[in-house]
Amino acid sequence: MVLYFAALRSTTDPPSVPLPRKDKSSPRHNLSLATCPHAFIPFLRLWSECVPTIQGLGPEHQHDLARIICGLTPLTQPVLPTLSRLSADLRSVSIEISQRRSFQDRYASDLQAAIDVGGPTSPGTQRAKASFVPPPAYTPSAAPAPTSLRKVALQAPPPSPSPPRSLHLLPPSAYSPPHSPASTTPQRTPTLITPTTPAID
């Protein structure tokens, strides 16, 4: 819906989006193909191609487009095929933007700020917290595994496959550990992984 309203309010050619100013004295800047970050140019170009068509629709079809974007049934029948295409294009741009980490962090902070403004102000009332939390960011391994460990791991013979066993053929003693004194001490399996080896290795 934000992309839809931005298309309706665009007044430049080619279409652009006015960026919010920090204060009234700050100069006005527009998000255009000349100022857009390189990674977002394809999305801005697709949005800008939708703008003339959206602005050229009649009021009833603009209203139907907004309903389609919101998942509602359009009121005018038959439905213009252009409306479905425009809705799909705007959705594809919004999905790409919403996958960005910077957008998710900004959305989480803005959502919490909106909750704080509309929340109760009386003392002793518990502060509501937004349930949306951005997914954890990927953190690469700090250091690769030592070369010697890699060589040993590559040269180690693969374990011999054990024949498949059927559970119903095993004796009852196989399901419970024996009670002999020799089996009280657990046997440690030899491993090439040290406590400092990165988890990915």
Side-chain angles (χ1 to χ4, degrees):
M1 288 302 294
V2 171
L3 296 173
Y4 167 73
F5 286 122
L8 287 179
R9 297 170 181 171
S10 180
T11 58
T12 60
D13 187 20
S16 62
V17 181
L19 300 178
R21 294 183 291 184
K22 294 182 178 179
D23 52 62
K24 294 182 179 180
S25 61
S26 301
R28 171 71 71 181
H29 295 286
N30 288 342
L31 178 64
S32 64
L33 293 176
T35 60
C36 180
H38 182 73
F40 286 93
I41 287 180
F43 312 131
L44 182 62
R45 182 176 287 115
L46 177 58
W47 171 82
S48 62
E49 291 172 357
C50 297
V51 171
T53 307
I54 293 175
Q55 293 184 350
L57 294 173
E60 66 281 1
H61 290 133
Q62 289 180 348
H63 184 246
D64 283 344
L65 176 58
R67 291 180 61 87
I68 293 175
I69 292 173
C70 295
L72 301 175
T73 304
L75 300 178
T76 305
Q77 300 295 332
V79 181
L80 286 180
T82 305
L83 301 183
S84 298
R85 177 184 62 81
L86 291 172
S87 174
D89 288 343
L90 293 182
R91 284 181 182 274
S92 64
V93 174
S94 65
I95 289 173
E96 290 293 337
I97 294 175
S98 65
Q99 297 300 316
R100 306 290 167 161
R101 180 74 186 187
S102 57
F103 173 85
Q104 294 176 352
D105 291 337
R106 181 65 181 267
Y107 177 79
S109 61
D110 287 354
L111 181 61
Q112 185 61 54
I115 293 176
D116 293 342
V117 170
T121 57
S122 58
T125 306
Q126 188 175 3
R127 175 175 173 263
K129 186 170 179 61
S131 59
F132 174 81
V133 177
Y138 169 72
T139 304
S141 178
T147 307
S148 59
L149 287 180
R150 293 172 184 248
K151 289 183 178 178
V152 172
L154 291 176
Q155 294 173 359
S160 58
S162 57
R165 296 189 298 175
S166 178
L167 289 178
H168 67 274
L169 296 179
L170 295 177
S173 60
Y175 299 102
S176 59
H179 298 284
S180 60
S183 64
T184 56
T185 304
Q187 294 182 353
R188 299 188 62 184
T189 304
T191 177
L192 298 177
I193 304 300
T194 67
T196 58
T197 301
I200 190 70
D201 292 331

